[in-house]
Every structure is written in structure tokens, then in C-alpha cells.
Amino acid sequence: MKYSVVIVEDEEIVREELSTNPLFAQLGVTVIGSAENGIDGEALIKEKNPDIIITDIRLPGQDGLSMLEKTDPTHAIILSGHSDFSYMRQAIQLKVSDYIKKPIDDDELITSLKKLIAVLDQEEKEMADLGSSSLPTFIIPLPIHVKNHLVDHAIKYIEENYSKSVGLQEAAATLGVSEGHLSRLFKEMTEINFLGYLNAYRINKSINLLENPRLNITSVCSLCGFPTPGYFTKLFRRFYSMTPSQFRDLLEV
């Protein structure tokens, strides 16, 4: 299976139905774990680093949005009962790709997952293109100045804040523009989406840090702004077809 999914849902019947739903296999994704509360869900997400998280908004221990805030996922789908709907629409952050009202409709779930898979496919393609450089330093070539005031400032924001937990939402707020406008303009001017650029910039920084044998992988991950070592390893492998540890081994040869 190409992409992985973690499900966090306190209703056992719903959780089991999602976990065993044959639609996932048909779409090329696999469920790699499930949890029944927000605390266990947080631990599971940090351990497994899934490509997609499907979670209820109301969970024992901590709610779904708090869990997502602590795990900083790339893509998530929120499930919501009717009584949560208006609140949830106001609370959705950029990291939440879609929301589905309960009871879950298979057609709606398929539509949501297909949209997410298309985004993931595009991100994979962009990472592969960026990582195709044959430069001996392994540094991914990135545009620095594109002669657009807003995009150049966005790139400067990445350079100054890559080590923090930031993304498109924070950059847009700092620059005083909407996320949609910044996202469209950034992609138009750089041919890379904002998250792809941010991740590539962080990977470039990690290459330099990995040359220092005194820094372990966890420290490199933290210094470069990746939320977890597992996520760092996953992205590094996408760019270079090896883990950070394997790359470090090459440096010692």
C-alpha cells in the first residue's frame, strides 16, 4: 500500500468499521493502527507517523483538535456528530484537510480520501523532482529570489523560522495575507507548494547537521523543525531513498 492511515475513534463499532473497510485497500491506503481516545491517539501518531489521520473531534482524554495540534500531522480528516458541526467548521486548521459528518457515508469518505491521495501524490512527485539533483553535496536546489515581493518574503520567513513548528498558516498570518492567496502565489512563482519548499529547506539543513557526529538523529530532527524523528526519517527517505542514519554511514566510508 502506498499511504498509511491511523484512526482515532472512541465508538468501537465505528472504529472497527473504518479499520476493516475494504475501500482503503481499493484506494491504495492501509490502516496501520487505531486508538479509542486522544491520549493513546497522540502516542500512536507519534510512533507510526501516518500519512493520513482520521479522527473524531470528541474523544476521551483530549479532543481531536488538541491531539492534532500536539502531533502536527501532514493530513487529517475530522469526523463529527451533528451537534459538533458548527463548532468544528470554525475550529478547522490548515492541517485538517476535510471533515465528514456522522453517520459516515462511504461515498463521502471515498471522495475525501481521493482528494487527499491526489495531494499526497503531488507532494511525492515534487519531492522526487527536488531530490533528483546529482549535486555531490546532496543539497536540494531551491529558488531563493523569484522577484515577487510576497513570495520572497515567504521564503525569508522559512529561512528564519524553519526550526520552529510553523507552516503556511503562520507564514500567511505574519505576512498579512490569506493562506489561499499565499499558497497559490507561492506555487505559481516557485513551482513548489509551500509545505514542499519548507520540508526541502529543512532537509537541506539536516544534511549539514548530519555531518556533525556529535549530534544524534533526534537532535538533528529537532533543530530542523521536524515534529518527530519518524516524520524526519520518512521525508528523508522520500528525497534520498535512504534513512538519515544510512546517509551518515556513507559519510564515514
Side-chain angles (χ1 to χ4, degrees):
M1 296 296 174
K2 192 170 184 180
Y3 300 119
S4 57
V5 178
V6 157
I7 295 167
V8 187
E9 167 61 59
D10 61 322
E11 295 183 49
E12 183 176 0
I13 294 176
V14 177
R15 187 172 64 252
E16 289 300 319
E17 287 180 348
L18 284 171
S19 298
T20 59
N21 195 322
L23 295 174
F24 289 106
Q26 295 173 21
L27 294 172
V29 298
T30 184
V31 177
I32 58 173
S34 63
E36 63 182 14
N37 61 69
I39 302 299
D40 291 344
E42 177 185 343
L44 181 64
I45 293 165
K46 289 179 177 178
E47 175 191 355
K48 299 290 188 179
N49 298 288
D51 298 301
I52 301 170
I53 298 165
I54 300 177
T55 179
D56 198 337
I57 196 169
R58 291 189 176 183
L59 296 167
Q62 67 177 333
D63 64 68
L65 291 178
S66 297
M67 180 188 70
L68 293 177
E69 184 177 357
K70 293 178 182 177
T71 54
D72 195 25
T74 305
H75 299 288
I77 296 174
I78 285 285
L79 307 177
S80 171
H82 181 72
S83 59
D84 301 319
F85 191 61
S86 59
Y87 161 75
M88 186 200 52
R89 290 194 62 170
Q90 297 171 5
I92 279 182
Q93 303 288 321
L94 178 65
K95 66 186 70 171
V96 176
S97 305
D98 206 351
Y99 54 86
I100 297 176
K101 287 192 294 183
K102 291 181 175 179
I104 301 169
D105 178 83
D106 278 352
D107 289 338
E108 188 175 2
L109 179 61
I110 290 173
T111 299
S112 182
L113 285 171
K114 282 183 176 179
K115 290 178 182 177
L116 261 184
I117 290 168
V119 172
L120 286 163
D121 285 343
Q122 180 62 29
E123 290 176 357
E124 289 271 8
K125 181 180 181 299
E126 290 176 357
M127 288 180 182
D129 291 343
L130 286 170
S132 63
S133 169
S134 58
L135 295 176
T137 58
F138 284 87
I139 297 300
I140 303 161
L142 292 171
I144 303 300
H145 300 292
V146 297
K147 297 182 180 180
N148 178 279
H149 181 76
L150 179 60
V151 175
D152 283 342
H153 273 72
I155 291 173
K156 186 68 173 178
Y157 178 86
I158 289 174
E159 293 173 349
E160 294 176 348
N161 297 278
Y162 71 91
S163 62
K164 305 172 186 176
S165 179
V166 298
L168 177 65
Q169 182 182 28
E170 291 77 12
T174 299
L175 298 174
V177 297
S178 71
E179 296 169 37
H181 177 62
L182 179 58
S183 177
R184 288 188 295 272
L185 188 60
F186 196 96
K187 179 65 181 292
E188 177 184 342
M189 300 302 299
T190 67
E191 299 184 349
I192 313 165
N193 66 30
F194 185 93
L195 178 61
Y197 191 107
L198 174 61
N199 282 333
Y201 191 88
R202 286 170 167 166
I203 290 292
N204 281 345
K205 290 297 181 179
S206 77
I207 291 292
N208 295 327
L209 294 177
L210 286 168
E211 295 177 358
N212 183 351
R214 295 182 179 180
L215 291 174
N216 60 35
I217 301 300
T218 301
S219 296
V220 173
C221 165
S222 178
L223 289 168
C224 293
F226 293 106
T228 66
Y231 185 64
F232 170 40
T233 298
K234 179 189 295 185
L235 285 177
F236 197 96
R237 186 184 287 114
R238 286 181 182 175
F239 279 109
Y240 298 119
S241 299
M242 70 180 83
T243 67
S245 296
Q246 290 169 336
F247 175 81
R248 177 166 273 174
D249 290 341
L250 288 178
L251 299 176
E252 298 175 355
V253 174

